Amino acid sequence: AYACKLQNIDPELGGRAVSCLGITLKAVEHLDESKQAFEEAVSRFPASAFCRMERWSNLAALAFRKEPMQSLQYLRQILAEVGGSIPLLDRIHTEVDVAMALFLARYAKEAAAQAQRAAGLADANGIPAQGARARNILGCLSWEDGRLDKAITLLERAILDAERSYMERFLWRF
């Protein structure tokens, strides 16, 4: 259905191009078609680390709310199999997603440790949007734990980092 006729093209570039179709289909909530597009993309460009990452990321995103442990498996697969081949921004984004999956699975201690690690990576590499996402998780964990002052401090920092990066999409609301 979504097969392309790209020939003699760099596998990474082709994988990125075809993956964009899967991302777009997910964005307009054509979830089955999105999965199909990613499967076809990986089949056509198996050497594309980006393509494989996006397929697993798509599956993880679809599983976050109902099956966070399944989501966690996909995210760990990204880090294990292509983590060293993907851009730093994508790797740190995935590290924050791991913290989110742990949070949603109710593994508070592990989620906090992972979010703290991801925030450190984001700060060290000048990626405030990912720092915002990680601190948002830490703020939610502190809030749930009754440490309201700490939660407010973390959430305010998350907002500041999000504003610095012109990103608000990933901030959770209570």
mmCIF file of all heavy atoms in Angstrom, residues 36 51 56-57 74 85 131 151:
data_model
loop_
_atom_site.group_PDB
_atom_site.id
_atom_site.type_symbol
_atom_site.label_atom_id
_atom_site.label_comp_id
_atom_site.label_asym_id
_atom_site.label_seq_id
_atom_site.Cartn_x
_atom_site.Cartn_y
_atom_site.Cartn_z
ATOM 1 N N GLN A 36 1.495 0.114 9.529
ATOM 2 C CA GLN A 36 1.790 -0.520 8.242
ATOM 3 C C GLN A 36 2.899 0.233 7.502
ATOM 4 O O GLN A 36 3.807 -0.382 6.932
ATOM 5 C CB GLN A 36 0.531 -0.583 7.385
ATOM 6 C CG GLN A 36 0.746 -1.235 6.036
ATOM 7 C CD GLN A 36 -0.506 -1.209 5.170
ATOM 8 O OE1 GLN A 36 -1.562 -0.758 5.581
ATOM 9 N NE2 GLN A 36 -0.369 -1.690 3.954
ATOM 10 N N CYS A 51 14.768 4.757 10.809
ATOM 11 C CA CYS A 51 13.522 4.086 10.463
ATOM 12 C C CYS A 51 13.136 3.067 11.542
ATOM 13 O O CYS A 51 11.988 3.029 11.993
ATOM 14 C CB CYS A 51 13.701 3.404 9.110
ATOM 15 S SG CYS A 51 12.209 2.792 8.374
ATOM 16 N N TRP A 56 9.785 1.599 16.384
ATOM 17 C CA TRP A 56 9.650 1.218 17.793
ATOM 18 C C TRP A 56 9.069 2.360 18.620
ATOM 19 O O TRP A 56 8.278 2.132 19.524
ATOM 20 C CB TRP A 56 10.987 0.769 18.355
ATOM 21 C CG TRP A 56 11.472 -0.530 17.787
ATOM 22 C CD1 TRP A 56 10.726 -1.644 17.522
ATOM 23 C CD2 TRP A 56 12.803 -0.847 17.411
ATOM 24 N NE1 TRP A 56 11.524 -2.631 17.000
ATOM 25 C CE2 TRP A 56 12.807 -2.169 16.920
ATOM 26 C CE3 TRP A 56 14.001 -0.145 17.436
ATOM 27 C CZ2 TRP A 56 13.947 -2.808 16.474
ATOM 28 C CZ3 TRP A 56 15.146 -0.770 16.992
ATOM 29 C CH2 TRP A 56 15.115 -2.081 16.518
ATOM 30 N N SER A 57 9.464 3.591 18.294
ATOM 31 C CA SER A 57 8.940 4.743 19.011
ATOM 32 C C SER A 57 7.438 4.872 18.785
ATOM 33 O O SER A 57 6.679 5.187 19.710
ATOM 34 C CB SER A 57 9.658 6.017 18.547
ATOM 35 O OG SER A 57 9.163 7.138 19.220
ATOM 36 N N TYR A 74 9.759 -1.601 23.966
ATOM 37 C CA TYR A 74 10.094 -0.996 22.671
ATOM 38 C C TYR A 74 11.183 0.066 22.839
ATOM 39 O O TYR A 74 12.110 0.146 22.032
ATOM 40 C CB TYR A 74 8.868 -0.357 22.021
ATOM 41 C CG TYR A 74 7.826 -1.335 21.545
ATOM 42 C CD1 TYR A 74 6.497 -1.203 21.933
ATOM 43 C CD2 TYR A 74 8.146 -2.374 20.677
ATOM 44 C CE1 TYR A 74 5.526 -2.083 21.484
ATOM 45 C CE2 TYR A 74 7.187 -3.267 20.228
ATOM 46 C CZ TYR A 74 5.871 -3.114 20.631
ATOM 47 O OH TYR A 74 4.916 -3.985 20.187
ATOM 48 N N SER A 85 23.553 4.737 17.105
ATOM 49 C CA SER A 85 23.525 5.163 15.701
ATOM 50 C C SER A 85 22.587 6.329 15.436
ATOM 51 O O SER A 85 22.571 6.846 14.323
ATOM 52 C CB SER A 85 23.068 3.994 14.816
ATOM 53 O OG SER A 85 23.912 2.891 14.994
ATOM 54 N N GLY A 131 15.082 18.353 28.765
ATOM 55 C CA GLY A 131 15.188 18.643 30.189
ATOM 56 C C GLY A 131 13.823 18.985 30.762
ATOM 57 O O GLY A 131 13.482 18.575 31.880
ATOM 58 N N ALA A 151 7.874 19.798 43.962
ATOM 59 C CA ALA A 151 7.123 19.624 42.717
ATOM 60 C C ALA A 151 6.977 20.957 41.993
ATOM 61 O O ALA A 151 7.213 21.048 40.776
ATOM 62 C CB ALA A 151 5.747 19.024 43.003
#
